[in-house]
Structures are given as structure tokens and as C-alpha cells.
Amino acid sequence: MDSLQGLPPLSTLSTSVSSTLNAKLGTNHDLTQAPSIVAEFLTQCDDLERNLVHLNRTLESNLASYASFSNRIGHLFGIVNSKLIDLGSSVCLRSSVSDGQGLGEELPSLAKEVARVEAVRAYAEVASKLDNLIGDIEDAVSSTMNKNLRKDSSAQNSEETRMVAIKILKVTEDLLTSVTKARPQWACLVSAVDHRVDRSLAILRPQAIADHRALLTSFGWPPSLSNLTSSSLDARKSSEVPNPLFTMHGDLKRRYCENFFALCRLQELQRQRKSRQLEGHNREVALHQPLWAIEELVNPVSVACQCHFSKWIDKPEFIFALEYKITRDYVDSMDELLQPLVDEAMLTGYSCKEEWISAMVTSLSTYLAKEIFPIYIGQLEEESVTGIRSQARTSWLHLIDLMVSFDNRIKPLVEKSGILLSLLEDGTPRKISSLSVFCDRPDWLDMWAEIELDDAMEKLKPEIDEERNWTKKVQGADLSNSDDYKSPAVSSITFTCLSSLIERCRLLPTVSLRSRFLRLTSTPVINFFLDCLLLRCQEAEGLTALTDDDALIKVSNSVNAAHYSESILKEWCEDVFFLEMGLDQGEHPGESVAEYSGREVPIEEYGNGIFHEEIAKFEDFRTQWVEKITMVILRGFDARCRDYIKNRRQWQEKSEEGWTVSQTLIGALDYLQAKMALMEENLNRVDFAGIWRSLAAGVDKLIFNGILMSNVKFQEEGVERFGYDVEVVWGVFRAWCLRPEGFFLKVSESLKLLKMEKEQLEDSLKGGQKRMKENGIRHLSVAEVEKIGKNRVYTK
């Protein structure tokens, strides 16, 4: 018993030794395994001794190399000194020449020689300084390694030695930066120094991270999750699990803060080196890395969470609830405790809160990509093979709902700190989002879009087939302007469905993903709705050729729906969310299925918005069917006033007694007025304005060609009668304009010619175009004026 040596005091043991003994000797049963543990420790000690001997030999070799290098530098300085002495002697000898001609000829070569010698001196000085710094770095790194191997050294000394190495590395990097800018031709020297610095950093960073992990374990990180239940996940704070970052104190807190600070200084040093090495390249993309110290906090938490996640594969809502609770409960400690250390390390562009949230969301996305989505993909593939519909699509949509809800809950955690909710990814902003799982798997995005589209179409088709939705008008103002679109309720239903799809993709982390999702989902829905409008119009046209009021109302409803849709899409495209997608130059999947429009859209016009092509199709649809409605009404008017136009004798007779308008014109005017009243009641204001203006132009052309250009002779009574008739025609359009004669250009000017005195008419004919313009005739050609003049019969 006396021969047994006593154990050293616990305070003299290092942190790693204490942790190892606690792990291996936790119970009485473990004491029986003591001999094997001792043998294991002895073996490890032998290995460490061998490593120490090897490191000592390496150090001796490096010291010998350094001594040899110093001797070579001293020899070079001797050569430089002797050459400077020779140069001075040469200058003195040449200065004795009386005429000075030789000295003038030799000055350029002397200047070159002096510059060369100065360059050699500067190179040698910088190389010597860098060599000394590298030696100091390697000594500090070696000292840090030896102190880690020798367990008798304190953790404080080890941390101080590490900080000394980091400070020397910072001085070395500053010197290399100045050399790179001032002497770019010394690239080989810089490369050689970088190589030696990289070897030191390859030792220093893993040591710092290993010490950091040991410290995290010593103060109880990660916090225990075993007492969390599904019912406690919604609690605001966990009173049973205190935050270890707040509960640590004393020497442990000081050591952790020093180690955290050292890691931040190391990362800032690494950023500075990369910034110098990537000069002239896209540095921002390569320089932005997750904060190393925060990653070390998140990684053990993620491992602990995944033990619970594996139990909740069929209940993913618990996964998101736990992830959110942990993220929320510890986010405040990031700002209060750790952010000052990051700021002190001058690690610019980093927020501990954002890094914590980003790392937690990334770990969740990684788990979803590895464990959850493959299960759903397998179910969908099995469904496609067997043809038996399962719950896979419903589960997929439910998972997306949870992801969107999770992102919406995470968003305020970042925004309330006033920092940007994005990270740089390939030079573009990338949002912090669990939906980033689709960034690396665009095929999953396509599958999601297909499921969303199928779900939307299943909900939309019954609404479109419901005839009541085509007769009921949209209630309320869906647009910012006050136009009355008189659109059927089905258009509002369709765009409510579209809005739902748009909201689903708003949180996708990149513009290209959002653009692709919308083109795969919204574009087919819009084209489907447009095809439905076209089909209804074609059915109405095929049944009655648009001759009855019901067919015209049916087409008017479709035109109103198209105008409403076009206006909504235009208003959406003015939003930045859609503008940036319109500028996205990706592929354009989901091409249109409506083939009635042959309009080609230049690729540069896609910058006007992602829905530019769909807007153009709605415009073409409206134009096409407004023209058809106009032509149908004009044909009906023409058929009803055919007798009026063919009656050539009426222009040589007086009006019927008691009538101010020709009786044969009354039926046509009644028809025209009834159709226009029908259109005004059922058609939107913009398209109705286009219809009545087109009708005015068509009636003007019909009367002008059918009467005035048909060699009809006009006497005084006929002119008066024609004037009455034209006034009545104008009166039909006076409800929508103050001067309807302005839309009957040819008829109004022809009437003006007919009312002229004989001398004035002959003078206009003789004066040509100039005299005609002076008399207010601007829209009739000379030939038309001559023809009307010849048909005017003067009885006096």
C-alpha cells in the first residue's frame, strides 16, 4: 500500500484530462477496468513522447535552416557593402576629371546600378524581417503544441501563447499586404511566406477549435433537451433549462470569452489573407463564411435535436416547433454576450444573432433534405408507378405549409435587430429560409410546383364550371384604381388562387427560384383561364353569331374578365418583387397553350415584368373580341338601314309631313341605340369607349360610301332632310361625347359642302386643297369633294 503513489491534486489536471477521467470512471464498475485504462493511457503517452521527439528534431532542423539563411543574408550584405564602397571610389575618381564629360555619360548607368543595389537591399531587408516573423510564428505555434501535450501547463498560458501567435500573424499579414501593393514583382517571396503561414494556421485553427469544444462541454453546452415534450414546445421560455451561456461565470467565463475572441481574430485574419490573395476577383462571394465560433455552438445542438427529430418523422410540426423554440430561446444571448467579442475582434459584416439564426435554419434544411424529403419523394415515385393515389401529395403540401410558417416566425427574430435578412450566395442576396433546401435540388422545386399546380387546378376547375360565378360580378375593389371592370366573380376567384401561389414562393431564398416556381405554376393557371374565356366566346359566336343579346352579354363578361386580369397583372408587375423576376434571364418553362395569339414578344421586353407575355395575350384577346362585337353591331345596323341607303329619290323630295327624320332610318337607329345601351350596361368603361368610337367611325363610313359616294343627287330639300337625319344619328352618340360630329369626319364635312352656296362650292373646287382647308374641309380628298359637288343640284 505504501508503494502506491497518490493522485495529483485535481486543480493541476488539464481540462481534457479531467473530462477523460470523468467519462471513463463514472461508476464503481468502471474502477474494475482501471488496469486496461492505465495501459491505454501509457500507450498514448508513448505515442505523445514519440511525437514530441519528432517535433523537437523538426524544430532543430528549422533552427539550423534559419541559421544558414541568416549567414547567407549576412554574406549578401557584405557583398552589397563592398560594392557600395567600390561605387563611391569610382565616383570620386571620375569627379577628378576636369571637363566632366565622362561623368555625364556614366550617370544613367550609375543610377541604374544604385537602383539595383537599393532594390537588393530592400529585398534582403524585407526577406529578413519576414523570416524573423515566420520564425516567431512557428516558435509560438510549437510552444502552443508543447503546452497542449504537457498537461502540467495552465490553460491561461496556452491561450496567451495562441494570442501571441495571432498577433504576429497579423503583423506578418500587414507586411505582406504592403509588399503586394508596393512590390508586385516579389510574388515568389510572398508565395513562399504564404506557404509557411498556411502550415502554421493548419495547426493553430484546429487547436483553437478543439479547446473551444472542450470549453463548451465543460460548462454544459448543448443544453439538455430530454425534458422537452410536445406540449412544452409552444412555451415562450423554458424555465427548466437555463441558458449555459448566461450561467457560466468566473474563470470558466473568462477562458471561454478569450477562446471565442481568439477564434474571431483568426477568422478575421483569414478574411484579410483571402482578400489579398483574391485581389481582382469576386472577393465578396469567397470571403463570406459562417462565423466559426457560432458554428461550434450550433453543431452540438443540431446533433442533440436530431435524436428527437428521428422520432417525429410522421409529425414534422414537432420538428419545426423544437427548432424554432431553441432558435428563439438562445438568440438574445448572442447579442448580449458574444456580439461585443466579435466587434472587438473587428470582424466586420457579422451579426452573431443572424449567424445563429442562419446556422440553425441551415441545419434544419440539411436535415429535411437528408431525412424527410427523400421519404416523400419515394412515396411520390411509388404512387406514379402503381397509379394508386396516396397521401404523399397532401403530406408534401403540409410540409411546405410548415416550412413557410416557420420562415414567417423566424423573420421577425432577425428583423427586430435591424440587420438585413440575407446572405450573399453566388453574388446575389440569399434569404435565411428553410426553403433553401430547393437551392441545391431544382428537381424538387419542379416537383413541388407540379403538386401546387395540380392542387390549384383541382380547386379552380369546379369554380370555373359553376355558371353562377360568370354572372355574379366582382364585389369590392381589388385594384388600386377606381375603374369599374364589371368583371365576373370567376376572375376574382382565379386571381385569389394565383395570389395564393405567389405567397407560397415569396420566401424562396433566390430570385431565380421564385421566378422558376411562378413560371411553372402561375403561367399555366393564367393560360388555362384565358383558354376558358376564349372557349366561352367561341361557343357564343358559334351558336348565334353574336346576334342575340345573351351571346353579346356572354362575350362582354369574358372581355371584362380579360380586362380585369390584364389590369391586375400590370399592377403586380410594377412591384419590385415581380420586376426582379422579370429581369431574371433563366429558362421560360410552361409555355402558353392558347394559340389564337400570333404576337411575338421581343426578349428585351421581359424586363417589364414576369407576366409581360400573358398581359400581351389578354390585350390581344380584348382587341379581337371588341372588334368582333363592333362588326356584329355594324352588320345589324347596315341590314336595317339598307332601304334607307337605297332610296335615292328621297334626297330630291321634302321630308314627310310631321317627321324630322326619315322613317326608314328609325329602325336602324333604334337597333343601334339598344345595342349600345346593352354594351354600356354590361361592358367595362374602357372597352365600351372603344366600341362606341369604332361604331361611330363605321357608321360614318357606311353613310359616306352608301349615300354620298353613290352619285345621289341632292336638292335643297334633300340636303335639309339629310341634315336632320345626320343630327339624329349624332344624337345617339351625344350621351358619351359633347361633339359627336368630331367622330363623323367625312359625313360632317360632306354636309358642310352640301350646305354651301353655289359660288362658294365652285370657288372651293377651283382653289384646290388650300381653299378647301380654308373652308374647313380637311378630311376629304379633292376627288371626293368634286364628286359631292357634281351631285349637288341647285334649283335657284
Side-chain angles (χ1 to χ4, degrees):
M1 294 296 292
D2 295 336
S3 61
L4 291 177
Q5 296 181 0
L7 291 173
L10 181 62
S11 58
T12 63
L13 297 177
S14 65
T15 304
S16 58
V17 170
S18 300
S19 301
T20 303
L21 291 176
N22 289 335
K24 293 185 175 292
L25 300 176
T27 62
N28 292 332
H29 176 72
D30 293 337
L31 293 177
T32 60
Q33 305 297 324
S36 60
I37 295 175
V38 170
E40 182 183 349
F41 283 164
L42 290 175
T43 303
Q44 293 180 3
C45 288
D46 292 339
D47 293 339
L48 293 174
E49 288 293 341
R50 283 194 294 271
N51 290 337
L52 182 59
V53 171
H54 174 71
L55 290 172
N56 286 331
R57 289 175 180 172
T58 303
L59 180 60
E60 291 174 359
S61 175
N62 289 337
L63 291 174
S65 299
Y66 173 70
S68 175
F69 181 76
S70 299
N71 291 334
R72 289 200 304 273
I73 294 297
H75 179 65
L76 287 175
F77 274 121
I79 296 174
V80 169
N81 189 36
S82 63
K83 286 192 175 184
L84 287 174
I85 294 173
D86 295 341
L87 179 61
S89 301
S90 175
V91 171
C92 291
L93 289 173
R94 294 177 188 275
S95 64
S96 63
V97 181
S98 59
D99 57 355
Q101 181 178 359
L103 180 60
E105 294 176 352
E106 294 294 331
L107 277 177
S109 60
L110 287 175
K112 289 182 180 179
E113 184 67 17
V114 170
R116 188 184 69 82
V117 172
E118 176 63 22
V120 172
R121 184 197 65 78
Y123 184 87
E125 182 178 344
V126 171
S128 176
K129 189 172 183 179
L130 286 171
D131 188 66
N132 291 333
L133 289 171
I134 292 297
D136 293 342
I137 292 170
E138 291 174 344
D139 288 345
V141 172
S142 177
S143 177
T144 304
M145 290 179 60
N146 291 337
K147 288 180 179 179
N148 280 340
L149 292 174
R150 298 168 186 167
K151 303 305 179 182
D152 57 340
S153 61
S154 66
Q156 181 177 358
N157 292 335
S158 176
E159 201 62 50
E160 290 176 354
T161 307
R162 182 180 295 118
M163 288 305 302
V164 169
I166 293 173
K167 290 178 181 178
I168 301 174
L169 281 166
K170 181 69 169 67
V171 174
T172 305
E173 182 58 33
D174 292 340
L175 181 57
L176 287 175
T177 301
S178 63
V179 169
T180 302
K181 294 179 179 179
R183 305 279 187 172
Q185 66 272 22
W186 294 358
C188 292
L189 174 63
V190 174
S191 176
V193 174
D194 275 340
H195 178 66
R196 294 180 66 180
V197 170
D198 286 337
R199 288 192 300 179
S200 298
L201 286 175
I203 299 172
L204 200 59
R205 180 188 171 186
Q207 284 182 350
I209 290 178
D211 290 347
H212 191 82
R213 292 173 179 173
L215 285 170
L216 290 177
T217 304
S218 65
F219 66 76
W221 188 270
S224 175
L225 304 178
S226 59
N227 58 344
L228 288 178
T229 62
S230 59
S231 59
S232 67
L233 292 178
D234 293 329
R236 180 64 187 91
K237 290 287 184 179
S238 178
S239 57
E240 301 177 2
V241 184
N243 187 344
L245 292 175
F246 284 148
T247 57
M248 66 175 176
H249 56 274
D251 183 65
L252 184 60
K253 182 175 182 180
R254 178 189 57 76
R255 287 163 51 200
Y256 174 75
C257 291
E258 287 178 353
N259 189 270
F260 187 95
F261 177 74
L263 269 181
C264 292
R265 288 293 301 272
L266 267 177
Q267 187 163 4
E268 174 56 26
L269 177 66
Q270 186 71 8
R271 276 164 50 91
Q272 188 178 349
R273 285 171 53 76
K274 289 296 182 183
S275 178
R276 170 177 57 81
Q277 294 169 352
L278 296 174
E279 186 70 36
H281 299 79
N282 189 1
R283 293 186 295 176
E284 290 301 323
V285 176
L287 291 181
H288 189 89
Q289 294 181 346
L291 203 57
W292 297 345
I294 298 298
E295 275 194 324
E296 294 305 319
L297 284 172
V298 171
N299 289 338
V301 173
S302 299
V303 173
C305 286
Q306 288 179 15
C307 296
H308 294 272
F309 291 170
S310 60
K311 307 172 187 175
W312 298 332
I313 296 295
D314 296 330
K315 296 286 185 179
E317 56 269 19
F318 293 157
I319 294 176
F320 289 94
L322 177 59
E323 191 77 10
Y324 174 74
K325 179 175 177 58
I326 295 174
T327 305
R328 179 199 62 199
D329 287 353
Y330 300 102
V331 71
D332 291 337
S333 59
M334 302 299 149
D335 261 357
E336 297 175 17
L337 178 65
L338 304 181
Q339 187 63 44
L341 299 175
V342 175
D343 297 338
E344 184 182 353
M346 293 185 292
L347 194 55
T348 57
Y350 281 94
S351 163
C352 287
K353 177 178 286 188
E354 184 175 7
E355 291 296 322
W356 164 259
I357 296 173
S358 174
M360 290 296 294
V361 173
T362 301
S363 69
L364 174 63
S365 299
T366 303
Y367 182 81
L368 293 176
K370 290 183 177 180
E371 303 296 336
I372 304 298
F373 274 99
I375 295 176
Y376 291 168
I377 297 295
Q379 292 175 353
L380 289 172
E381 291 176 350
E382 182 180 354
E383 177 183 309
S384 63
V385 173
T386 61
I388 302 174
R389 187 153 188 172
S390 63
Q391 293 295 319
R393 293 174 179 266
T394 304
S395 300
W396 183 293
L397 293 176
H398 177 57
L399 179 63
I400 297 296
D401 288 337
L402 294 173
M403 295 171 74
V404 172
S405 175
F406 174 81
D407 288 349
N408 285 326
R409 297 175 73 190
I410 284 292
K411 188 177 179 181
L413 295 181
V414 181
E415 287 181 339
K416 70 178 182 181
S417 64
I419 55 181
L420 295 177
L421 188 67
S422 63
L423 300 173
L424 284 178
E425 180 71 18
D426 299 332
T428 59
R430 177 169 176 172
K431 294 181 179 179
I432 298 175
S433 171
S434 62
L435 294 172
S436 59
V437 66
F438 296 108
C439 292
D440 300 325
R441 294 302 302 263
D443 55 324
W444 290 0
L445 180 77
D446 295 350
M447 190 173 296
W448 173 30
E450 180 184 351
I451 294 173
E452 289 284 359
L453 178 60
D454 291 343
D455 183 66
M457 295 299 285
E458 285 181 5
K459 298 175 181 177
L460 185 60
K461 286 180 179 178
E463 299 291 344
I464 289 181
D465 294 339
E466 179 60 51
E467 190 63 30
R468 183 175 55 183
N469 291 330
W470 291 93
T471 56
K472 182 181 177 182
K473 301 299 181 183
V474 173
Q475 300 295 326
D478 293 337
L479 293 162
S480 58
N481 54 50
S482 58
D483 287 342
D484 183 9
Y485 293 92
K486 299 180 181 178
S487 177
V490 69
S491 56
S492 179
I493 294 171
T494 301
F495 275 87
T496 299
C497 176
L498 279 176
S499 298
S500 175
L501 292 174
I502 291 168
E503 289 301 318
R504 301 279 276 177
C505 78
R506 278 189 182 273
L507 292 175
L508 280 170
T510 63
V511 175
S512 59
L513 288 180
R514 296 194 290 273
S515 175
R516 183 173 182 83
F517 182 86
L518 278 187
R519 289 193 178 109
L520 289 170
T521 55
S522 299
T523 300
V525 172
I526 294 173
N527 287 329
F528 172 74
F529 182 58
L530 191 57
D531 288 341
C532 291
L533 298 180
L534 177 63
L535 181 61
R536 290 180 65 84
C537 291
Q538 289 175 340
E539 288 176 350
E541 183 183 33
L543 291 174
T544 63
L546 304 182
T547 56
D548 66 340
D549 291 350
D550 290 339
L552 286 175
I553 291 173
K554 192 172 185 178
V555 173
S556 298
N557 281 336
S558 296
V559 172
N560 291 340
H563 187 210
Y564 175 87
S565 303
E566 177 191 335
S567 300
I568 286 187
L569 292 178
K570 284 182 177 178
E571 186 168 300
W572 283 358
C573 288
E574 292 175 359
D575 189 273
V576 175
F577 176 77
F578 294 97
L579 283 176
E580 62 184 4
M581 287 189 289
L583 295 173
D584 180 63
Q585 296 298 323
E587 296 182 354
H588 294 262
E591 295 296 331
S592 169
V593 295
E595 300 179 355
Y596 65 87
S597 173
R599 176 172 175 176
E600 295 183 359
V601 182
I603 188 65
E604 60 270 12
E605 292 189 16
Y606 279 103
N608 296 334
I610 189 174
F611 296 121
H612 179 83
E613 185 178 355
E614 285 69 32
I615 291 172
K617 290 175 182 176
F618 279 119
E619 289 177 346
D620 290 343
F621 174 86
R622 286 174 50 221
T623 301
Q624 177 182 348
W625 288 97
V626 165
E627 288 177 354
K628 287 189 176 184
I629 292 174
T630 304
M631 291 303 300
V632 167
I633 296 176
L634 277 177
R635 283 200 300 266
F637 178 79
D638 182 24
R640 285 163 179 78
C641 68
R642 195 163 297 163
D643 293 339
Y644 171 75
I645 292 175
K646 290 182 178 181
N647 187 358
R648 304 165 65 91
R649 296 180 57 187
Q650 62 183 332
W651 310 120
Q652 302 173 23
E653 302 172 350
K654 292 183 179 181
S655 300
E656 296 90 337
E657 187 174 352
W659 291 88
T660 58
V661 62
S662 301
Q663 296 185 36
T664 53
L665 183 61
I666 293 175
L669 291 178
D670 286 344
Y671 169 83
L672 181 63
Q673 193 167 21
K675 293 298 182 183
M676 291 181 68
L678 182 69
M679 289 295 97
E680 184 181 21
E681 179 183 355
N682 292 280
L683 199 60
N684 66 83
R685 182 176 58 84
V686 174
D687 289 319
F688 174 69
I691 283 182
W692 74 254
R693 288 174 182 174
S694 298
L695 286 174
V699 172
D700 178 59
K701 182 178 179 181
L702 180 64
I703 295 176
F704 180 76
N705 292 330
I707 297 176
L708 298 170
M709 290 289 103
S710 61
N711 296 319
V712 173
K713 302 299 182 181
F714 282 90
Q715 293 185 2
E716 290 293 337
E717 296 82 358
V719 172
E720 183 179 3
R721 182 173 185 171
F722 183 70
Y724 289 148
D725 292 346
V726 170
E727 283 291 340
V728 174
V729 173
W730 291 346
V732 174
F733 294 89
R734 191 161 278 119
W736 306 289
C737 61
L738 295 176
R739 292 184 65 258
E741 57 270 22
F743 294 92
F744 290 80
L745 299 175
K746 290 185 176 292
V747 170
S748 61
E749 291 185 359
S750 299
L751 183 59
K752 188 181 294 184
L753 282 174
L754 293 174
K755 289 182 177 181
M756 285 182 181
E757 297 295 335
K758 183 176 182 180
E759 293 77 9
Q760 185 182 4
L761 180 58
E762 291 176 350
D763 182 61
S764 297
L765 293 174
K766 292 178 182 178
Q769 197 75 32
K770 182 178 179 181
R771 183 55 60 86
M772 288 166 52
K773 289 184 178 180
E774 292 176 356
N775 291 325
I777 309 300
R778 293 180 174 83
H779 299 91
L780 295 178
S781 65
V782 175
E784 291 171 340
V785 171
E786 290 177 350
K787 192 170 186 178
I788 293 173
K790 291 178 181 179
N791 292 329
R792 178 67 168 91
V793 178
Y794 292 93
T795 57
K796 296 181 181 179

